[in-house]
Amino acid sequence: MNGKEKITENTSTHEHISSYAEHFGTWVALILLTLMTVFISTFGADLRTLTVATALLIATVKALAVALYFMHLKYDAKIYRAWMIIVMALFVFFLFMVTLDYITR
Amino acid sequence: MSETVVQQPSFFQVKKGLFSWIFTLDHKRIGILYLYSIGFFFLVAAGLGILMRLELLNPGRDFIEAQTYNQVFTLHGVIMIFLFIIPSVPAVFGNFFLPIMLGTDDVAFPRLNLFSWWLYILGALFALSTLVFGDGPADTGWTFYAPYSVKTGTNVTTSVLAAFILGFSSILTGLNFIVTIHRLRTPGMGFNQMPLFAWALYATSWIQLLATPVIGITLLMIVAERVFGIGLFDPSIGGDPILYQHLFWIYSHPAVYIMALPAMGIVSEIIPTFAQRTIFGYKAIAYSSMAIAFVGYFVWGHHMFTSGMSGPAAIVFSIMTFFVAIPTAVKVFNWVATLYKGSIDIQVPLLFALAFIFNFLIGGLTGLVLGALAADVHVHDTYFVVGHFHYVMFGGAGFAFFGALHYWFPKMWGRMYNKKVANTAFALLFIGFNTTYFPMLILGLKGMPRRYYDYLPEFHDLNMLSTFGSWILVTGIIVMVINLFAGGIKGKKASANPWNGITLEWQTASPPPLHNFDKMPELPAGGPYNYPNAKNASH
Amino acid sequence: MADSHTFVLPNSGHNFDAKASKMGMWLFLFTELLLFGGLFLVYIIYRYLNQDAFLLASFELNVWMGTINTIVLLTSSMTIAMAITALQKGNAKLAITLSWLTILAALSFLVIKYFEWSSKFEHGLFPGMDHFDGLPLGERLYFYLYFFMTGLHALHVIVGGVFIAVVIRLIKKEKVTKERYSLLENSGLYWHLVDLIWIYLFPLFYLIH
């Protein structure tokens, strides 16, 4: 990029600067969730068929924390959240259609 | 050119020499690099097609062995799909014209753009290397269906890696275009003031971005299975081959919209220019591109009706397939309505656009026959399928590509081809195309299976007709290519706006200067296709 | 190239545009998500078809190593996020230190992964080895997926680490600065993606008892 003319130069991507405390808080939550999911599965509160569902639910909460706080989705332009939702929805739909085939066979 | 006094040198003139081309960051030069590389592979694969038609002239073995024939149709498919039709319009005309039509001087990531072209070349080298090493090119068909693809001794791994690399190149092009459209539109141009070609590319780019990774990973799984014995698809060591088909078509069905949507974008440019009239239903055309891209993700199962997929799933896929026909039909009606009461100037690009509509109608309607569950069981894996997708891909996307070439040729090279010869070439292509492929539809209905080098004697007449057609077709291609080369070298100088178009690319010189515009481009008042002198403007 | 009198459009593609580069990074992350998405899809289908075998096979993995690796990755995600904050606040030195910590975590992750994989090899648990080829098909599928998915993930860890190392160099050269931090931000985004995928890989392979 030669950057000679800088009429629409856009250096900063967003105004918000996340604080160290916020990142640390997110990390604490993530670690607690990790220990919780390991605890549930190993020392098993016997949830039977719900074990996998619980593990995935906790994983999703963790993923949301990473996306919203570490990846700044919460503070970023709306379009990124919208795109993320569309991409996830697309994946869920792929999954739905393929599973439909397998469970009705 | 002479009419303007202070003229910037064109992008051809700023620098010379091989390195100024293969390491260029100029989107126009990259577009032309793509044009030459893609054009080369089109001619190679077309040659392979002619070879197959020649073998099929008579029943029995004419001059190709069964195994060689399998390899020839696989190579024909792989080259045509991954090296020609998927990159064709976006990589050539998208690269060249998207920034100009948006009123900017380059794509958002010029280096990435060059990198995409290099990846394309690397992928092409991989694909070609299968000819030289080992047991020759893959013999699986371009679909690489497991478990055969993990067992055959031919060079499937290299072919698959070629497709992977080419997919990566395609993803990066799509990524570049989306960011370009979001960030670099000229001030005052909102999404709804964009030319329809840009809309079509936007929809296409999203498919490239979100569908290609699925085939990327699937192809890597094939490689892992062949190299490490990670048996994800071979039922004898664990996997399920039907899952491969799912994953393959999750990409490869949306991929046909990667091929078709930009072609539709071109038709949406050509028709208002040669009707000198506002496009009918701008928003309907723009949003139907997005709708096709969206619904197109959900119909892949119609390639698998006979694979052993469950009944309920097949029904859902069949219904979704019928839905995707709606936005496609919306476009066709809008194009026809645009021509109505327009000041039609019949020139070669318009002829190609009209041929696109004609061929695409046949292709699309036969597609519905294939999307209907019961009918598909009858014609699955017959020549009906071959006829159908050549109508869509070649008669549709291919003709639009030729149309774009003739439409933008004066802008790209600043010269005009011989219009009479171009008309002749068009007539040969149109007649040749329909003579080649229409008999295939009938042959398929009669039950001739595809992918065999031999057939029963009762199919002889129609196969002969088809092969004769392929000779007319190839003559048309040769005449067209020679005419275009001649036009580029010694054609009459073209003005900045030979067709009286009003999208932004016609406001700059032919060929454009390095930075595309010498002054701020002016947006046409009242929308991108609002022709000032149109008789029956608006709708 | 051109002389100073050349007209240049205000919306030139050759301008530095941090918003564009971030948008490009996000779009690339979407392709990565769907790349792994394809694998998760395969995992879910095969697990649905072979529930008991997957359960049995999962006992071969060491939950503690997996947990430690999860914590390592989560911590590295925090350090790179903090590195961005540090650079935004103008503390380039701290940003570099935090980035190095991230790379260190990446290396520890790979070392632990290496020990995990080699213990599988010692037990003959790789396609083509005797013990492995005696397993029922369902358990083999589990290990195919285990090796393929964690292998591909490890590859992404390496790429992410190299990316961050390059950015560290650029911070030192002051090419990436308080005003122009988007490259560090992008490397961070990529690193978080690596973390995101592991967040799902971990329960799916280690915790399905």
Side-chain angles (χ1 to χ4, degrees):
Chain A
M1 324 214 162
N2 53 19
K4 252 183 278 167
E5 306 281 307
K6 299 181 177 177
I7 304 170
T8 56
E9 187 95 333
N10 254 309
T11 43
S12 63
T13 49
H14 55 77
E15 309 303 316
H16 180 85
I17 300 180
S18 303
S19 67
Y20 296 117
E22 189 184 300
H23 288 321
F24 184 71
T26 311
W27 178 78
V28 171
L30 286 169
I31 298 295
L32 287 178
L33 284 166
T34 306
L35 295 177
M36 190 166 109
T37 186
V38 173
F39 181 79
I40 290 175
S41 113
T42 342
F43 301 108
D46 189 9
L47 295 168
R48 303 220 165 245
T49 51
L50 287 178
T51 340
V52 179
T54 320
L56 285 180
L57 188 74
I58 294 177
T60 305
V61 175
K62 284 164 73 181
L64 274 176
V66 170
L68 288 176
Y69 294 99
F70 283 167
M71 298 175 97
H72 298 206
L73 266 189
K74 189 179 168 194
Y75 308 104
D76 231 317
K78 266 188 204 144
I79 197 165
Y80 292 115
R81 266 168 284 165
W83 283 351
M84 192 67 162
I85 291 169
I86 291 172
V87 170
M88 288 298 112
L90 193 65
F91 171 70
V92 170
F93 195 88
F94 289 162
L95 187 62
F96 172 76
M97 289 305 284
V98 178
T99 344
L100 178 70
D101 172 23
Y102 279 86
I103 56 177
T104 54
R105 230 181 248 170
Chain B
M1 266 153 296
S2 48
E3 64 260 27
T4 37
V5 190
V6 193
Q7 184 69 53
Q8 293 286 331
S10 83
F11 73 100
F12 281 111
Q13 295 161 335
V14 279
K15 261 187 179 179
K16 301 234 185 268
L18 182 66
F19 289 108
S20 78
W21 280 88
I22 60 174
F23 296 118
T24 182
L25 297 181
D26 179 9
H27 67 102
K28 299 181 287 300
R29 286 191 172 206
I30 293 174
I32 286 179
L33 285 176
Y34 269 117
L35 177 64
Y36 284 125
S37 14
I38 283 169
F40 170 76
F41 285 109
F42 170 72
L43 294 178
V44 169
L48 291 170
I50 291 294
L51 216 61
M52 284 190 282
R53 273 318 326 161
L54 219 52
E55 166 59 36
L56 292 171
L57 182 60
N58 298 304
R61 177 185 174 279
D62 289 352
F63 66 103
I64 298 181
E65 294 299 331
Q67 170 67 7
T68 319
Y69 184 82
N70 293 349
Q71 291 174 312
V72 169
F73 76 65
T74 303
L75 206 58
H76 170 79
V78 168
I79 294 182
M80 278 295 190
I81 300 274
F82 294 110
L83 285 163
F84 171 63
I85 201 89
I86 286 183
S88 65
V89 174
V92 177
F93 300 109
N95 260 323
F96 199 108
F97 286 104
L98 178 69
I100 308 185
M101 289 173 116
L102 296 179
T104 179
D105 64 352
D106 212 322
V107 291
F109 308 117
R111 280 160 216 263
L112 195 68
N113 202 16
L114 178 65
F115 181 61
S116 303
W117 180 73
W118 275 105
L119 277 180
Y120 173 88
I121 293 297
L122 184 69
L125 290 177
F126 265 70
L128 289 184
S129 73
T130 61
L131 285 166
V132 195
F133 302 109
D135 289 331
D139 57 349
T140 56
W142 76 279
T143 50
F144 304 116
Y145 268 10
Y148 185 64
S149 60
V150 298
K151 298 204 152 154
T152 170
T154 50
N155 284 326
V156 173
T157 308
T158 327
S159 310
V160 155
L161 283 174
F164 178 82
I165 296 167
L166 292 166
F168 204 40
S169 157
S170 165
I171 288 176
L172 294 179
T173 303
L175 187 156
N176 222 334
F177 286 178
I178 294 177
V179 179
T180 306
I181 288 170
H182 273 277
R183 296 292 306 160
L184 294 180
R185 295 186 316 271
T186 194
M189 183 190 274
F191 264 77
N192 284 335
Q193 283 83 47
M194 280 199 309
L196 288 164
F197 183 56
W199 264 109
L201 286 176
Y202 187 68
T204 310
S205 301
W206 275 108
I207 308 178
Q208 287 176 300
L209 196 77
L210 298 182
T212 318
V214 180
I215 195 153
I217 197 65
T218 313
L219 296 176
L220 284 186
M221 283 187 253
I222 291 283
V223 174
E225 186 148 353
R226 285 181 70 89
V227 179
F228 301 110
I230 306 275
L232 286 166
F233 297 124
D234 180 354
S236 66
I237 52 173
D240 177 12
I242 297 181
L243 190 57
Y244 173 82
Q245 297 191 15
H246 272 299
L247 291 166
F248 180 83
W249 290 112
I250 284 178
Y251 164 74
S252 297
H253 192 78
V256 306
Y257 300 109
I258 298 179
M259 313 166 197
L261 280 172
M264 293 171 169
I266 286 168
V267 175
S268 310
E269 292 299 325
I270 292 178
I271 285 185
T273 302
F274 291 96
Q276 288 292 299
R277 186 187 178 295
T278 314
I279 189 112
F280 185 87
Y282 169 89
K283 283 189 180 170
I285 295 183
Y287 299 160
S288 66
S289 289
M290 296 306 282
I292 292 174
F294 184 71
V295 185
Y297 278 114
F298 307 139
V299 302
W300 77 82
H302 65 221
H303 295 267
M304 303 165 54
F305 286 157
T306 59
S307 70
M309 185 171 58
S310 83
I315 291 169
V316 175
F317 279 124
S318 186
I319 294 169
M320 298 301 282
T321 306
F322 280 82
F323 278 138
V324 90
I326 296 170
T328 315
V330 165
K331 281 183 193 284
V332 173
F333 289 130
N334 279 312
W335 292 326
V336 177
T338 304
L339 289 168
Y340 179 66
K341 286 193 177 174
S343 330
I344 297 176
D345 180 16
I346 297 185
Q347 299 271 5
V348 199
L350 183 68
L351 289 174
F352 276 108
L354 296 177
F356 170 92
I357 297 178
F358 177 84
N359 294 335
F360 202 83
L361 265 180
I362 297 180
L365 291 173
T366 50
L368 285 178
V369 174
L370 289 162
L373 263 179
D376 180 71
V377 174
H378 178 64
V379 289
H380 185 86
D381 258 347
T382 67
Y383 260 82
F384 192 80
V385 179
V386 182
H388 154 71
F389 74 67
H390 281 90
Y391 262 97
V392 184
M393 296 293 97
F394 189 5
F399 271 62
F401 183 83
F402 299 153
L405 208 51
H406 286 89
Y407 179 54
W408 280 315
F409 188 89
K411 177 56 62 184
M412 293 168 87
W413 278 275
R415 290 176 186 276
M416 188 59 91
Y417 45 83
N418 182 326
K419 287 184 185 173
K420 270 191 187 151
V421 181
N423 276 323
T424 318
F426 167 77
L428 287 169
L429 282 167
F430 186 72
I431 295 167
F433 172 82
N434 280 290
T435 321
T436 310
Y437 294 104
F438 203 81
M440 290 189 186
L441 295 171
I442 305 169
L443 282 167
L445 284 174
K446 285 180 160 183
M448 179 176 160
R450 66 178 177 145
R451 293 184 165 173
Y452 287 95
Y453 81 128
D454 190 8
Y455 52 84
L456 295 174
E458 66 246 42
F459 301 132
H460 192 185
D461 294 348
L462 284 168
N463 268 300
M464 266 176 32
L465 182 61
S466 176
T467 302
F468 292 152
S470 74
W471 297 339
I472 307 176
L473 186 56
V474 79
T475 317
I477 294 174
I478 293 170
V479 172
M480 179 182 75
V481 170
I482 292 176
N483 183 37
L484 289 177
F485 267 108
I489 295 163
K490 56 181 178 55
K492 271 195 311 228
K493 293 260 184 199
S495 69
N497 190 0
W499 313 122
N500 198 20
I502 63 168
T503 39
L504 297 188
E505 76 269 29
W506 303 113
Q507 290 187 15
T508 185
S510 305
L514 179 65
H515 293 294
N516 293 351
F517 294 97
D518 294 337
K519 56 179 176 21
M520 210 52 204
E522 282 168 46
L523 287 173
Y529 300 101
N530 196 12
Y531 282 87
N533 304 321
K535 279 179 288 183
N536 288 285
S538 91
H539 43 88
Chain C
M1 264 191 264
D3 59 294
S4 56
H5 298 293
T6 316
F7 170 77
V8 177
L9 293 158
N11 52 329
S12 166
H14 295 274
N15 287 343
F16 174 74
D17 180 353
K19 280 188 180 157
S21 88
K22 177 149 89 174
M23 187 179 277
M25 194 66 213
W26 268 106
L27 294 175
F28 185 68
L29 295 191
F30 294 148
T31 73
E32 291 275 18
L33 281 175
L34 282 161
L35 188 89
F36 277 94
L39 279 171
F40 281 113
L41 206 150
V42 174
Y43 174 93
I44 290 165
I45 296 299
Y46 285 158
R47 191 185 144 75
Y48 168 76
L49 296 174
N50 307 282
Q51 305 196 8
D52 297 336
F54 268 50
L55 186 64
L56 268 176
S58 76
F59 286 118
E60 294 283 344
L61 297 193
N62 186 330
V63 179
W64 296 114
M65 282 189 158
T67 311
I68 292 169
N69 252 350
T70 308
I71 292 172
V72 166
L73 265 196
L74 289 173
T75 312
S76 71
S77 247
M78 177 188 71
T79 52
I80 195 74
M82 283 180 166
I84 297 164
T85 305
L87 193 63
Q88 285 172 328
K89 290 186 173 173
N91 193 342
K93 252 192 180 162
L94 183 61
I96 290 175
T97 314
L98 286 164
S99 302
W100 273 120
L101 282 176
T102 312
I103 292 177
L104 196 70
L107 291 174
S108 350
F109 178 90
L110 290 172
V111 169
I112 296 173
K113 202 82 245 152
Y114 169 77
F115 283 118
E116 276 193 273
W117 273 44
S118 36
S119 86
K120 298 289 161 303
F121 288 135
E122 278 166 29
H123 292 100
L125 277 174
F126 192 78
M129 293 180 173
D130 288 342
H131 180 56
F132 185 90
D133 288 346
L135 288 175
L137 292 185
E139 290 183 43
R140 286 200 226 171
L141 275 175
Y142 176 91
F143 283 108
Y144 292 146
L145 284 166
Y146 170 77
F147 284 117
F148 196 91
M149 293 175 86
T150 58
L152 192 66
H153 178 259
L155 210 64
H156 280 77
V157 172
I158 296 170
V159 173
V162 171
F163 191 178
I164 294 171
V166 170
V167 175
I168 291 177
R169 241 183 99 75
L170 291 173
I171 298 177
K172 281 184 180 155
K173 282 184 172 175
E174 296 188 5
K175 289 260 170 72
V176 173
T177 58
K178 181 179 189 238
E179 285 75 33
R180 240 174 118 138
Y181 57 83
S182 73
L183 212 54
L184 178 66
E185 195 181 28
N186 284 349
S187 72
L189 284 174
Y190 190 83
W191 190 253
H192 295 309
L193 172 96
V194 171
D195 196 15
L196 271 184
I197 287 157
W198 183 257
I199 284 176
Y200 281 97
L201 285 182
F202 173 57
L204 286 179
F205 282 107
Y206 292 81
L207 298 181
I208 55 173
H209 318 332

